[in-house]
Amino acid sequence: MGAFEGDLRGARILVTGHSGFTGGWASLWLSQIGAEVHGLSLPPETAPNLFAAAGVEAACVSSTFADIRDADAVRAVFERVRPDLVLHLAAQPLVRRSYRLPIETYATNLMGTVHVLEAARQQAQVKGAVCITTDKVYANRETDHAYGEGDRLGGHDPYSASKTCAEIAIESYRSSLPSWGQDMLIASARGGNIIGGGDWSEDRLVPDFARAAVQNEALVIRNPKAVRPWQHVLCLCHGYLTLLAQITRGNRAVSDAWNFGPDRADCVSVEEMLKRMAQHWSSLRVDVVPAIQHEAKLLMLDSAKARAALGWLPAWTLGETLAATAGWYRGYHDDPSAARAITLGQISAYRERIGSPALGAGASHA
């Protein structure tokens, strides 16, 4: 498969947010390639959830439920696990919840990140950390412009702003390490809109679609014309693991910010997404109920840097992503006990694709 996987085999990796959607997929992939996975997160907050359905805990050498807002608890996990690498995914990830709970959102996304980086800094064996923020950290002018890593940061809503604050804190730690006499590498990853099987979060398009399809109800959406950079969760995990592998190689250039987004053709509107999703499942009646809170209507990423410097490419198109996502949910609702096999099967299929010469040498040898 991808040569980057060999760099992670045997590595002791602490995944924060391993009980969540992306954290679950990443933990299972890491376990499949022989990494020693340790998890730190809150318990799953939805029922059902990927953590239980796909047996994520069984893939972890240790699994700790603790709050990253608790600096002492975070430090205790680091002291016990003594990780080589950190994949920091734990977050309050929902825009509309951030309007309801701004203090919790800032405390988790900003101070939680600071607690993780400080605990990592105190452990001499930690080679580096990959901290996940979001594509929403940019000062979005809502024009036909794909944002690059050098564009100005911003954040209209508390979620976006809290992640922008986290980016500033990450850069501060990155810049301050020489003053502490340390050389830990810190990368931040800004991913596009993630979809895939096993997400049951509130106020997300695909989980809402799956719930409506199963219950034969109308799907309520807020912004049918909103355009987003959609991609499968495995495309993002691929980018995150590539960054971790570069850290193990001591590549100092990786200690920077990185965009991971789809091709421009896969940046489509919500209504177009629903039309394509229906081709893989069923058509739904759609009710539009506009949100009173501000949400971006147009957002795209420029990922040329990751493509050129890391050899990263999203291995699945939007069509393949939607087929895999719909297949996951249909399979789960037919037989919930099949969730682990479906999840591992899709990880294997993605890994085979990135090892294919058709994808290009850069992606398979990143």
Side-chain angles (χ1 to χ4, degrees):
M1 302 302 174
F4 69 90
E5 293 182 327
D7 294 319
L8 301 177
R9 189 169 295 116
R12 184 178 296 133
I13 303 175
L14 177 63
V15 179
T16 72
H18 72 302
S19 69
F21 169 53
T22 305
W25 282 90
S27 296
L28 289 170
W29 187 340
L30 286 167
S31 176
Q32 287 295 100
I33 63 177
E36 181 183 317
V37 182
H38 297 262
L40 164 63
S41 70
L42 292 174
E45 66 172 24
T46 66
N49 56 78
L50 183 71
F51 186 72
V56 175
E57 189 167 25
C60 300
V61 174
S62 72
S63 176
T64 303
F65 290 147
D67 195 327
I68 60 170
R69 292 175 294 178
D70 184 339
D72 291 338
V74 172
R75 184 170 57 253
V77 171
F78 271 81
E79 290 174 351
R80 176 172 51 80
V81 172
R82 297 187 60 78
D84 303 312
L85 300 164
V86 180
L87 178 57
H88 176 44
L89 285 155
Q92 193 298 92
L94 301 174
V95 172
R96 293 222 294 175
R97 182 184 293 180
S98 78
Y99 281 110
R100 299 196 307 269
L101 301 170
I103 295 175
E104 175 186 308
T105 300
Y106 281 103
T108 301
N109 295 348
L110 171 57
M111 291 309 300
T113 297
V114 171
H115 294 158
V116 168
L117 289 176
E118 181 61 16
R121 186 181 74 81
Q122 298 291 339
Q123 294 283 317
Q125 83 286 343
V126 176
K127 298 175 183 177
V130 175
C131 299
I132 312 309
T133 59
T134 177
D135 57 354
K136 298 175 180 64
V137 297
Y138 295 106
N140 189 0
R141 301 186 298 275
E142 304 205 33
T143 60
D144 188 22
H145 170 73
Y147 292 98
E149 291 86 350
D151 281 317
R152 187 168 70 87
L153 302 184
H156 187 286
D157 55 88
Y159 166 73
S160 302
S162 70
K163 285 293 194 174
T164 299
C165 290
E167 283 280 1
I168 295 170
I170 291 164
E171 175 58 30
S172 174
Y173 263 83
R174 194 184 285 135
S175 300
S176 299
L177 287 170
S179 297
W180 287 313
Q182 295 171 301
D183 59 359
M184 183 176 73
L185 303 180
I186 308 174
S188 63
R190 304 164 182 174
N193 275 43
I194 304 174
I195 61 176
D199 185 6
W200 281 280
S201 300
E202 62 178 327
D203 289 335
R204 281 186 176 164
L205 184 62
V206 169
D208 287 346
F209 184 105
R211 281 186 284 263
V214 169
Q215 297 165 11
N216 195 27
E217 296 177 348
L219 172 64
V220 178
I221 62 175
R222 302 184 297 275
N223 300 300
K225 302 296 184 182
V227 174
R228 295 287 185 271
W230 313 96
Q231 58 194 326
H232 197 275
V233 61
L234 288 173
C235 298
L236 275 299
C237 290
H238 177 192
Y240 305 158
L241 269 57
T242 298
L243 289 175
L244 288 172
Q246 290 294 325
I247 288 173
T248 67
R249 299 179 190 183
N251 180 1
R252 303 201 65 78
V254 81
S255 195
D256 203 352
W258 300 88
N259 281 350
F260 293 104
D263 293 336
R264 191 129 180 166
D266 287 341
C267 298
V268 301
S269 68
V270 168
E271 62 183 358
E272 178 65 21
M273 264 280 293
L274 294 176
K275 184 189 304 182
R276 297 189 191 187
M277 188 74 169
Q279 295 171 1
H280 299 285
W281 200 335
S282 62
S283 296
L284 297 175
R285 188 179 88 251
V286 176
D287 294 338
V288 178
V289 180
I292 61 171
Q293 300 97 339
H294 171 273
E295 292 184 274
K297 295 181 176 60
L298 178 61
L299 179 58
M300 295 181 291
L301 288 177
D302 180 349
S303 304
K305 177 180 167 183
R307 284 160 164 74
L310 301 176
W312 173 84
L313 289 170
W316 284 349
T317 64
L318 180 57
E320 292 169 317
T321 290
L322 292 175
T325 301
W328 196 103
Y329 283 106
R330 288 199 316 270
Y332 173 84
H333 287 290
D334 288 343
D335 178 10
S337 68
R340 180 175 175 84
I342 296 170
T343 306
L344 295 179
Q346 291 190 356
I347 292 172
S348 294
Y350 189 94
R351 292 177 62 217
E352 289 174 6
R353 176 65 64 82
I354 63 175
S356 168
L359 189 63
S364 61
H365 297 287

